[in-house]
Amino acid sequence: MIKLINILKEIKGRKTLHVYDFDDTLVKTNSFIYIQHGDGKQSKLTPGEYAVYEPKKDDQFDFSDFQKVTQPQEIKGVTKLLRTIVNKEGERKVVILTARAAYEPVKKYLKDIGFEGIYVVALADSDPQKKADWIEDKIKKGYNDVFFIDDSANNVAAVRDMLKRYPKVKSKVFRAME
């Protein structure tokens, strides 16, 4: 009986956070990052390519494509998981955490595919540590059960490294792969 009471206390004390990346995790788009290189040449990168790109001196980046969701192609496996979590009974916070600078286009896209009321955070920064810091801030505010999924190996590694400082936080961290 004591064991059952302890299990119930643990479940009751859970404050759950589900965090999903947007680009290349929930949806593929035809959005690019354009680069004006110091030598005058121009190039463009997909979000996945940008995630591992090593900037060169004098590179100038144009992220204007990310002010909209261009020709979205839903990544059905992850979207199905998100739908299951959103519709599941119980209390949890579900967040789309994106490196994009604008949250409105993401929120509109989610509404268009039947998701309303999902919190969207636009970090306006692709530094993997920013996602880890955002999640860490939520842990400090009492979240003790964290689920995170992102296509970027660097983002996944940053979140995993941060979570090592919180051994009492139950966590599941996944890299989305198509």
Side-chain angles (χ1 to χ4, degrees):
M1 184 66 163
I2 292 174
K3 188 174 185 178
L4 178 60
I5 291 170
N6 288 338
I7 290 170
L8 291 174
K9 281 182 185 176
E10 182 179 330
I11 291 169
K12 187 176 180 183
R14 288 269 161 230
K15 192 169 177 186
T16 303
L17 176 67
H18 282 257
V19 181
Y20 294 75
D21 173 50
F22 185 68
D23 288 288
D24 295 340
T25 299
L26 283 173
V27 65
K28 288 261 186 207
T29 68
N30 282 345
S31 299
F32 295 96
I33 298 96
Y34 299 93
I35 306 172
Q36 178 71 46
H37 300 283
D39 62 6
K41 292 182 181 176
Q42 296 180 344
S43 60
K44 67 181 181 179
L45 301 171
T46 66
E49 292 168 336
Y50 179 74
V52 296
Y53 179 74
E54 294 291 331
K56 313 283 185 296
K57 186 175 187 256
D58 297 325
D59 278 352
Q60 294 181 354
F61 298 94
D62 173 1
F63 297 95
S64 58
D65 271 8
F66 293 90
Q67 299 302 313
K68 56 194 178 288
V69 177
T70 307
Q71 297 177 329
Q73 298 170 341
E74 183 179 332
I75 299 175
K76 295 195 184 282
V78 180
T79 304
K80 182 179 177 183
L81 173 64
L82 177 61
R83 193 171 311 281
T84 300
I85 294 302
V86 166
N87 293 329
K88 191 175 176 183
E89 286 188 29
E91 193 174 322
R92 76 196 56 74
K93 183 171 184 135
V94 179
V95 177
I96 306 304
L97 185 60
T98 180
R100 288 173 176 247
Y103 76 90
E104 295 93 345
V106 174
K107 194 132 181 105
K108 183 188 177 314
Y109 169 77
L110 291 169
K111 184 177 180 182
D112 289 348
I113 64 167
F115 290 104
E116 293 201 47
I118 293 181
Y119 191 58
V120 177
V121 175
L123 293 173
D125 197 319
S126 61
D127 178 355
Q129 191 57 48
K130 299 297 181 184
K131 285 191 177 186
D133 291 347
W134 189 90
I135 293 169
E136 183 173 32
D137 180 62
K138 299 306 169 237
I139 290 170
K140 289 177 179 177
K141 290 180 178 172
Y143 285 92
N144 56 12
D145 191 347
V146 175
F147 173 89
F148 176 71
I149 186 166
D150 196 304
D151 67 292
S152 165
N154 293 337
N155 292 344
V156 167
V159 170
R160 280 188 177 140
D161 286 348
M162 175 275 297
L163 285 165
K164 289 176 186 174
R165 296 192 300 267
Y166 299 92
K168 292 185 179 181
V169 171
K170 181 179 171 191
S171 64
K172 292 182 182 171
V173 177
F174 296 99
R175 180 166 179 214
M177 311 264 288
E178 252 196 297

